[in-house]
Amino acid sequence: MAEISIPGVSDKYKTNDYIDALMKKERIPLNREQESLDRYKEQQSAWRGINQKMSALRDSTKTLYSFENPFNNKIASSSDERAVTAEAGREAGLESIRIDVLKEATSDRFMSGEIEKSSQVPKGKYTFQVGEKTISFNWKGGKLTDFVTALNKRGTSTIKASLVGVSSNKSSLLIESLKTGNDNNLIFKDDALTYALNTKLIEKNKKEVTQFGLSLKEYTSPVDEKQLVNPKIPDIEQDGMPAITNEAVTLDSENQKFIIPPRSGFTINIPSEFLSTASENFEFSFSQQEVEDITEALNIKRTTRPELPEAGKATFETITVQNEQSETNLPPVPQDPLVPITNHADFYVHNKDGSEVQVETESLKSDETTGEKTVTLSLKNYPDIESIVVRNRNTGTQIQISPVSAYDEKKNLGYTPVKPVSTAGDSIIKYEGITITRPTNKIDDVISHVTLNVHQPTEKTATIDITADKESAKNSLIEFVGRYNQVLAEMTILSENKPEIISELDYLSDSEKEAAESRLGMFQNDFSLSNGKSSLRSIITANYNWSENATITMLNQIGISSRASGNSGGYVASQMRGYLEIDEKKLDSVLEENMDEIKNLFGYDSDGDLIVDSGIGYAIDKQLTSWVQSGGIIATKNNGIDTKIRVSEANIRKLESQLSSKEAQLRNKYSQMEGTLNNLNAQSNTVSNFANNGKQ
C-alpha cells in the first residue's frame, strides 16, 4: 500500500522546517522589541527599588529632626522598682525625684463564708455599686457558677466575681471592685444585699454618728463678708440693715434646735479630729418659719426725730430781735426705705484660706412630715473646710437648725465585710515632704510630664532618676547611617559599571549580589544619579553652625564619617565612595555630654519662626523629597518609562499580528506545493503501473 501524504498535516517534504527557518528570521524584530520591553520593566523596577530605599532614609531622617526626635526622649529608672516605677514624657526635666510610698491604692475585695458548690442563688434583683457606677440585673435563679458568669458579663471594668475552692464540695465567693480609691466602695443593694448577708460576705453593724455644736458657747458671729478672700455679697443687702450676728440666736432645749431669728446667724467650727478622714460627712437639718417682718420697725426707727418749734422773735417799739434756730445733731432722713428680704437663708462652707463657698439648698427635698431639709457636706468635696456658716438674711423668716452630725460614710453603710481581702483606699505618697493622696496607683499630676506607678510601700525613700534616652538616640543614628549607605550603594550600582562595587558590599547575601549584578551600570549615562550622590555627600560633610556657641557643627564630630574607622592612611574604596562609618566609642561619649547639640545638628530654626529650616536632617529630607515626591525625579523617570512600555507593548502586538499572518501565508503556500507534488507523484505512479501492465 502506497504511503498516504496529507498536505499541511504530514511533513513528507520537511516543509515545517523550512517554515520555522523562515519565521525565525521574521521574528528578529519581535524578539528585539520584547528584549526592549523587558529592559524597560527592569529599569522601572530599579527606580521603584531606589524610591523605596530613599523613602526609608527620608523617614529615618525626619525622625531625627522632627518634633518626635529621639534626642528629647527621657527614661525613668527607680531605685526601688518593686515599690514604685515611673514613665517620663519628652518634656520631663532631667532630675532625681525622691518618693516615699506610704500606701498603695486598693479596692474592696470581699470573701464569703463557705458555700456548697451545688448551691443555688435565689431569684431577685441584684444591684452592685462601685463609686458612681451601678451594675443591676434581674436574676431568674440558678446555679452559683452561672450567677458568677452572669455578674462578670455585666461587670466588665467595674466588678468581678470568682469562686475559690476550699474543699471538694465547698467554695468561697470572692467579689471585688475593679476600681481603687476611697470613693469606690463596693456597695450591695436590693437582693444582692440580702444574699451578701446570708453568705457572710458582709455583716450588719451599728451606725457611728457624733454630734458637735450642742452648746451656744460653740457658736460665734459670722465673719464680716467684706473681709473674705472672695467677697460675694448678694445684691439684696441694703445699707441700714442690721449686721448678721449670733446675739439673738437661742437654743430650744426641748427639741434640740437652734432658733435663728431674722438678720441673725452663726459660725460653727469643725473639730480637727473629723478633718483627717476623706470619707467623713457633716450633716444637719433645718426648717424655716414665717415671723413678723422687722423691716417696718427698722424704717420707723431710722426716720423718727423730734419736731422743733420755730425759734420765735421779740419786738420792742420799732425794734425786732429774731431768735436763732437751735443746733441739733439729728440723723439724716434716708433717701429710700428698707425693703423686706425673703428666700435668703444662706449656708456656707468657710475654708482655711479665708474663702467661702455657698451651699446650694434650693433643690433639696423637704421631709413630708417635718418639712425639714437635710444638708450633707462631704470632706472629699470640701477638703479645705474649716467651719460652717449660716446667715439668715431674711427680715420675716426665722430658721430652726439641728446640731451638726459627723460620720464616716464608709462605716455607715449599715454593714461591714466579714473577711475583707482588702478594702478601698487611696494611694498615699510623700514628695518634697508633702503628703499626697490619689485614688489610683497611676499618678500623673504631681510631677510635670512624669507618671508615677505605685506598687507597694517603700521601705526607704526611693529615688527616680529622669535621664536622656541615649540608647534610643543611638539606635536612631545607627538606623540613619545604615539607610544612608543603602541609598548611596544603590545609586552607585545603577550609575557605575564596576563589579568591585558589589564585592565591597559584604552585607549582601548571594542572591542579593546576583540581583545587584543585573542592575550594575543600568543608568550609567543618567547624570541625575551622579548629581544626587554628590548632593548627599555634600550635605553629610557640610558645616552647620547653628549657634555662636555651638561646639558640634559637623557629623564627623560625633563619630560618624566616611573615615570613622580610622583608616586614614591608605586607599579604601568604600571610603572613597562616601559610605558612612560609626566610631561607637566616640558616639557614646558625645551622646553622654551633648545630646542637645546633636539634636540641633540635625535640625534647627535659624530665623526664629519656630520652624526647623536648617541642619543635616532637614537638608537630606529636602533633597530626597525632590526625588520621591509625587511629580519628583523618580516619578518623572517612571512616567517616561511607562510611555516606552506602552509603545513597546503596542509594537509587540502589531508584530505578533504580522507574524501570525506571515506564518499562515507560508503554511498555505507550502500546503499547496505539497498538494501539487502529491498529484504529480500520483500521476507518475499511474503511468508506471500502465506501462508495466502493457509489457505483460
Side-chain angles (χ1 to χ4, degrees), residues 282-561:
F282 308 106
E283 191 173 282
F284 60 87
S285 59
F286 73 94
S287 61
Q288 301 181 59
Q289 299 84 33
E290 291 186 6
V291 294
E292 183 179 353
D293 197 294
I294 63 173
T295 308
E296 184 177 351
L298 290 172
N299 284 329
I300 292 174
K301 184 177 180 180
R302 295 173 73 224
T303 57
T304 299
R305 61 182 179 179
E307 293 288 340
L308 298 178
E310 291 185 6
K313 56 185 177 180
T315 301
F316 178 74
E317 293 183 354
T318 60
I319 299 173
T320 300
V321 177
Q322 186 73 37
N323 290 335
E324 289 186 2
Q325 190 72 28
S326 299
E327 293 183 2
T328 59
N329 293 321
L330 297 176
V333 178
Q335 294 182 356
D336 297 306
L338 300 174
V339 297
I341 300 174
T342 58
N343 298 322
H344 269 280
D346 297 336
F347 300 86
Y348 297 86
V349 166
H350 188 90
N351 293 317
K352 297 172 184 176
D353 63 358
S355 64
E356 286 188 358
V357 179
Q358 186 169 359
V359 179
E360 198 280 320
T361 58
E362 287 297 317
S363 60
L364 296 176
K365 292 184 178 180
S366 300
D367 185 276
E368 295 181 359
T369 303
T370 63
E372 292 182 335
K373 291 183 176 182
T374 299
V375 177
T376 302
L377 305 175
S378 175
L379 191 58
K380 64 186 177 185
N381 295 331
Y382 301 99
D384 296 322
I385 188 173
E386 183 179 60
S387 57
I388 299 171
V389 179
V390 181
R391 291 186 178 92
N392 184 10
R393 303 180 191 277
N394 299 309
T395 56
T397 304
Q398 76 174 12
I399 301 173
Q400 285 190 352
I401 189 169
S402 68
V404 182
S405 299
Y407 63 90
D408 185 343
E409 65 178 347
K410 296 180 76 170
K411 295 180 180 178
N412 285 274
L413 295 172
Y415 57 81
T416 186
V418 177
K419 296 180 180 179
V421 179
S422 64
T423 56
D426 290 343
S427 62
I428 306 175
I429 65 172
K430 258 190 177 181
Y431 170 64
E432 298 292 345
I434 302 172
T435 301
I436 298 167
T437 63
R438 291 293 184 272
T440 70
N441 289 316
K442 199 175 188 71
I443 304 173
D444 59 5
D445 58 351
V446 173
I447 305 162
S448 296
H449 308 293
V450 176
T451 299
L452 299 174
N453 298 307
V454 174
H455 306 298
Q456 63 183 55
T458 51
E459 295 179 359
K460 59 181 181 179
T461 301
T463 301
I464 296 175
D465 293 317
I466 309 298
T467 58
D469 189 355
K470 296 182 285 292
E471 196 65 28
S472 172
K474 180 179 178 180
N475 290 338
S476 295
L477 289 170
I478 292 172
E479 181 184 272
F480 161 75
V481 169
R483 289 182 173 176
Y484 173 86
N485 286 341
Q486 286 180 342
V487 168
L488 201 62
E490 188 65 19
M491 296 176 82
T492 303
I493 289 169
L494 292 173
S495 61
E496 298 182 30
N497 192 9
K498 298 177 181 179
E500 59 268 25
I501 293 172
I502 298 174
S503 62
E504 292 167 1
L505 305 176
D506 52 10
Y507 56 84
L508 295 180
S509 65
D510 292 340
S511 60
E512 289 173 333
K513 287 183 178 180
E514 185 178 346
E517 287 172 358
S518 67
R519 302 192 302 275
L520 191 62
M522 184 178 287
F523 303 124
Q524 58 183 333
N525 296 322
D526 191 323
F527 293 107
S528 61
L529 287 170
S530 300
N531 293 335
K533 286 192 296 181
S534 298
S535 297
L536 287 176
R537 286 198 290 259
S538 297
I539 292 170
I540 289 296
T541 57
N543 181 30
Y544 299 88
N545 193 16
W546 50 270
S547 168
E548 293 180 358
N549 301 320
T551 58
I552 295 178
T553 60
M554 297 184 70
L555 195 60
N556 61 9
Q557 291 178 281
I558 66 172
I560 299 176
S561 70

Side-chain angles (χ1 to χ4, degrees), residues 108-264:
D108 277 340
R109 303 178 71 218
F110 301 160
M111 182 82 78
S112 74
E114 294 184 359
I115 308 172
E116 294 288 340
K117 289 184 178 179
S118 59
S119 68
Q120 301 281 309
V121 178
K123 174 183 178 181
K125 181 180 180 182
Y126 286 78
T127 302
F128 304 86
Q129 183 177 335
V130 176
E132 297 180 354
K133 182 72 173 179
T134 299
I135 306 296
S136 184
F137 64 99
N138 293 315
W139 173 248
K140 62 182 179 181
K143 295 180 180 178
L144 176 59
T145 53
D146 294 337
F147 176 80
V148 169
T149 301
L151 179 56
N152 288 337
K153 183 178 179 180
R154 293 167 174 83
T156 55
S157 60
T158 304
I159 192 172
K160 178 184 175 183
S162 56
L163 291 172
V164 179
V166 294
S167 66
S168 59
N169 60 348
K170 290 187 178 181
S171 299
S172 285
L173 175 62
L174 175 65
I175 297 183
E176 56 186 310
S177 161
L178 298 180
K179 295 184 177 181
T180 58
N182 277 329
D183 297 338
N184 292 315
N185 299 107
L186 175 58
I187 299 173
F188 302 89
K189 294 182 178 180
D190 303 326
D191 292 297
L193 176 59
T194 302
Y195 184 72
L197 289 168
N198 291 339
T199 56
K200 299 190 183 305
L201 269 165
I202 56 176
E203 60 185 0
K204 292 183 178 180
N205 67 347
K206 293 182 179 180
K207 195 170 184 178
E208 298 178 7
V209 178
T210 304
Q211 285 188 320
F212 60 90
L214 298 173
S215 169
L216 284 173
K217 295 179 180 179
E218 299 179 53
Y219 295 87
T220 59
S221 294
V223 65
D224 184 353
E225 290 179 277
K226 295 179 181 178
Q227 298 177 3
L228 294 174
V229 171
N230 59 336
K232 295 181 180 178
I233 304 172
D235 294 337
I236 49 91
E237 286 294 353
Q238 307 161 55
D239 290 338
M241 277 289 181
I244 296 175
T245 68
N246 70 330
E247 294 176 1
V249 176
T250 58
L251 171 63
D252 180 353
S253 56
E254 182 179 350
N255 296 314
Q256 277 297 299
K257 301 286 185 181
F258 291 94
I259 309 300
I260 307 174
R263 301 302 297 177
S264 296

Side-chain angles (χ1 to χ4, degrees), residues 500-672:
E500 59 268 25
I501 293 172
I502 298 174
S503 62
E504 292 167 1
L505 305 176
D506 52 10
Y507 56 84
L508 295 180
S509 65
D510 292 340
S511 60
E512 289 173 333
K513 287 183 178 180
E514 185 178 346
E517 287 172 358
S518 67
R519 302 192 302 275
L520 191 62
M522 184 178 287
F523 303 124
Q524 58 183 333
N525 296 322
D526 191 323
F527 293 107
S528 61
L529 287 170
S530 300
N531 293 335
K533 286 192 296 181
S534 298
S535 297
L536 287 176
R537 286 198 290 259
S538 297
I539 292 170
I540 289 296
T541 57
N543 181 30
Y544 299 88
N545 193 16
W546 50 270
S547 168
E548 293 180 358
N549 301 320
T551 58
I552 295 178
T553 60
M554 297 184 70
L555 195 60
N556 61 9
Q557 291 178 281
I558 66 172
I560 299 176
S561 70
S562 60
R563 295 181 179 272
S565 61
N567 297 323
S568 57
Y571 171 82
V572 180
S574 61
Q575 292 179 345
M576 297 301 292
R577 299 192 203 284
Y579 299 134
L580 292 177
E581 300 173 348
I582 298 176
D583 181 343
E584 196 167 350
K585 287 186 178 179
K586 185 173 183 180
L587 178 59
D588 288 339
S589 174
V590 178
L591 284 171
E592 188 73 35
E593 302 293 336
N594 302 94
M595 187 76 82
D596 285 338
E597 293 210 18
I598 298 176
K599 179 185 73 172
N600 290 330
L601 177 63
F602 280 90
Y604 63 94
D605 171 23
S606 63
D607 55 11
D609 62 355
L610 303 180
I611 299 175
V612 173
D613 54 15
S614 190
I616 294 174
Y618 173 81
I620 291 180
D621 179 24
K622 188 175 180 181
Q623 171 70 13
L624 294 177
T625 298
S626 67
W627 284 80
V628 302
Q629 69 183 346
S630 177
I633 295 172
I634 294 177
T636 303
K637 300 284 187 185
N638 274 332
N639 288 339
I641 295 174
D642 279 335
T643 302
K644 292 179 180 179
I645 289 175
R646 287 194 296 270
V647 172
S648 182
E649 288 174 340
N651 289 338
I652 288 172
R653 288 193 296 270
K654 182 179 178 181
L655 289 169
E656 286 177 339
S657 177
Q658 291 173 351
L659 287 172
S660 179
S661 298
K662 183 68 174 179
E663 186 174 0
Q665 290 174 4
L666 288 172
R667 292 194 180 279
N668 183 48
K669 288 179 180 180
Y670 276 93
S671 177
Q672 290 177 2

